[in-house]
Amino acid sequence: MNRETAPPDALTFWSFVDYAVRKADQELPAVNTDAMRMVLTLNRATSMVIYDLESTVHRPRGLTWPGFRVIFALWLAGPMEAKTTAEISGMSRAALSALLNTLERDGLIVRARASHDRRALQLSLTEEGYGAILGGFRAHNLRESAWAESLEPAEQTELVRLLNKLMAGSTDAKAKFRN
Amino acid sequence: MNRETAPPDALTFWSFVDYAVRKADQELPAVNTDAMRMVLTLNRATSMVIYDLESTVHRPRGLTWPGFRVIFALWLAGPMEAKTTAEISGMSRAALSALLNTLERDGLIVRARASHDRRALQLSLTEEGYGAILGGFRAHNLRESAWAESLEPAEQTELVRLLNKLMAGSTDAKAKFRN
DNA sequence: TCCGAATCATCAAACATTTGATCATTTGAG
DNA sequence: CTCAAATGATCAAATGTTTGATGATTCGGA
């Protein structure tokens, strides 16, 4: 890797992945450039979609993206233990704990001790929380649809299949999971 | 949507997408379930990969995931203006500003005023920053490779193609971009 | 039954991100 | 040339995440 090489004239968000892969391939021995490209691209595509959804749909309605995920899970799967909520919405128990402070303060959810186990926490939506998701989900799904229209139906299916296969392989990859 | 329906016996990280899509389809009119499934799956797959890379490779070496992204960009594309760094690493100028405080304090990067425009900031890696990325990138790419092995080579290529097509469609989707 | 181990939740400190405001510098129209 | 508008960077306040520690409750083997 030549530390003095100047960047190309127009290094932009769009050209960076190609540039990075080419440069790493030239300068480093034994780089798996396909894997590098896959992870870089996956990261970027997701960031774009999430940023769009959060900034156009949820923040204007008073929810952050993580807040939406939790309310969404509670809306779909009904009252449940906090441990389950954390798992299905893909966050650590500690992160959920902090997030619940905001959601509870805003009157969207209610915390209650579980009857069968006084360590456990039972979460449920308030009327206001129910209303928040009702209002937001339509707009959310419309923007999801706009993104999905970039791909043919068969391509959408294939993308989902590939992502699921990638996730399923995490066991073989000995990937680390959240708490 | 039935607000009283109890969640299934075993609602887990793995079963949630199927459950959510089925439930929404049953209970709501006119939901685009394919788009819903695509965005949910994209989000989950990316979270898994990034969490694994951050927690097994970068945090143990003293870098956060965003910190790595910035050092990585500077390593590959050489000294550059902060504005460019923010753009290619997918963060807002304000977020980069805060992140640079940490990286500068840790002695990994140097801030300097650009000569041609005294408003602009020129970023470059220090010796220590250069060493940090040299040590970490190998491990990073090895884990990327482990993830990529879940897919056949042709599937990796196809996944990247579909993600790029998705991103390219953001213009038609009138997606909102970062600052 | 008792007590150590496991489990559930929260806390604390450090860090990163968002939006919106502010300050310094540069640009460009008149 | 002048001054308002645009641009680059930072700041401020609120929020969410991470890791590691601490409390409370339950479980399970001796």
Side-chain angles (χ1 to χ4, degrees):
Chain A
M1 174 82 37
N2 180 352
R3 301 173 60 184
E4 302 306 321
T5 302
D9 286 345
L11 185 53
T12 69
F13 179 81
W14 298 103
S15 63
F16 180 66
V17 172
D18 276 338
Y19 175 78
V21 169
R22 199 173 341 110
K23 188 88 187 268
D25 192 35
Q26 284 170 11
E27 309 272 357
L28 294 174
V31 171
N32 184 335
T33 50
D34 290 335
M36 184 181 165
R37 182 185 294 276
M38 186 186 82
V39 171
L40 277 171
T41 309
L42 183 61
N43 193 15
R44 283 169 171 253
T46 303
S47 294
M48 285 180 72
V49 174
I50 302 306
Y51 182 78
D52 176 57
L53 286 168
E54 176 166 22
S55 64
T56 68
V57 176
H58 300 295
R59 291 225 178 227
R61 293 165 185 269
L63 274 180
T64 61
W65 174 252
F68 167 73
R69 270 163 39 211
V70 166
I71 302 287
F72 177 70
L74 281 169
W75 178 52
L76 283 173
M80 68 181 107
E81 288 190 21
K83 192 190 180 190
T84 308
T85 310
E87 184 188 344
I88 67 179
S89 49
M91 57 183 67
S92 73
R93 193 58 194 76
L96 178 61
S97 205
L99 185 49
L100 290 177
N101 291 332
T102 306
L103 297 177
E104 190 176 39
R105 184 208 58 196
D106 292 346
L108 302 176
I109 63 103
V110 169
R111 283 192 238 226
R113 286 286 154 196
S115 48
H116 64 291
D117 185 337
R118 288 188 302 170
R119 291 170 304 183
L121 206 60
Q122 186 80 6
L123 301 181
S124 48
L125 285 186
T126 62
E127 283 297 323
E128 198 176 339
Y130 185 67
I133 200 73
L134 272 188
F137 183 72
R138 182 63 49 88
H140 174 90
N141 191 238
L142 282 176
R143 286 226 54 68
E144 285 179 325
S145 300
W147 280 98
E149 278 173 13
S150 303
L151 303 181
E152 305 295 330
E155 289 178 326
Q156 292 178 36
T157 304
E158 179 65 1
L159 176 57
V160 169
R161 184 185 78 80
L162 293 172
L163 292 169
N164 277 321
K165 186 170 180 181
L166 188 67
M167 287 192 281
S170 62
T171 311
D172 303 327
K174 296 182 174 49
K176 181 173 177 185
F177 294 92
R178 281 190 177 74
N179 302 348
Chain B
M1 170 92 26
N2 181 351
R3 299 174 60 184
E4 302 305 323
T5 302
D9 287 346
L11 184 53
T12 68
F13 178 81
W14 298 103
S15 63
F16 180 66
V17 172
D18 277 338
Y19 175 78
V21 169
R22 199 174 339 109
K23 189 88 186 269
D25 193 34
Q26 284 170 10
E27 310 270 0
L28 295 176
V31 171
N32 183 336
T33 50
D34 291 334
M36 185 181 166
R37 182 186 292 279
M38 187 186 81
V39 171
L40 277 172
T41 309
L42 183 60
N43 194 11
R44 284 169 171 254
T46 302
S47 295
M48 286 180 70
V49 174
I50 301 306
Y51 182 78
D52 176 58
L53 286 168
E54 175 165 22
S55 64
T56 67
V57 175
H58 299 296
R59 291 230 179 223
R61 294 166 185 269
L63 274 181
T64 60
W65 175 252
F68 167 72
R69 270 164 38 214
V70 167
I71 302 288
F72 177 70
L74 280 169
W75 178 52
L76 284 173
M80 70 181 104
E81 284 189 24
K83 194 189 180 193
T84 308
T85 310
E87 185 189 342
I88 67 179
S89 48
M91 58 184 66
S92 72
R93 194 57 195 76
L96 178 61
S97 206
L99 185 49
L100 290 177
N101 292 332
T102 305
L103 297 177
E104 189 176 40
R105 184 208 58 195
D106 292 346
L108 302 176
I109 61 103
V110 168
R111 282 193 237 229
R113 286 286 154 195
S115 49
H116 64 292
D117 184 338
R118 286 188 305 170
R119 292 170 304 183
L121 206 60
Q122 186 80 8
L123 302 180
S124 48
L125 286 185
T126 61
E127 283 297 322
E128 199 176 340
Y130 185 66
I133 199 73
L134 272 188
F137 183 72
R138 182 62 50 88
H140 174 90
N141 190 239
L142 283 175
R143 287 227 53 70
E144 285 178 325
S145 300
W147 279 98
E149 278 172 13
S150 304
L151 303 181
E152 303 297 328
E155 289 178 327
Q156 292 178 36
T157 304
E158 179 65 0
L159 176 56
V160 169
R161 185 186 76 81
L162 294 172
L163 292 169
N164 277 321
K165 188 171 181 182
L166 188 67
M167 286 191 282
S170 62
T171 311
D172 302 328
K174 296 183 175 48
K176 180 172 176 187
F177 294 92
R178 281 190 176 75
N179 302 349

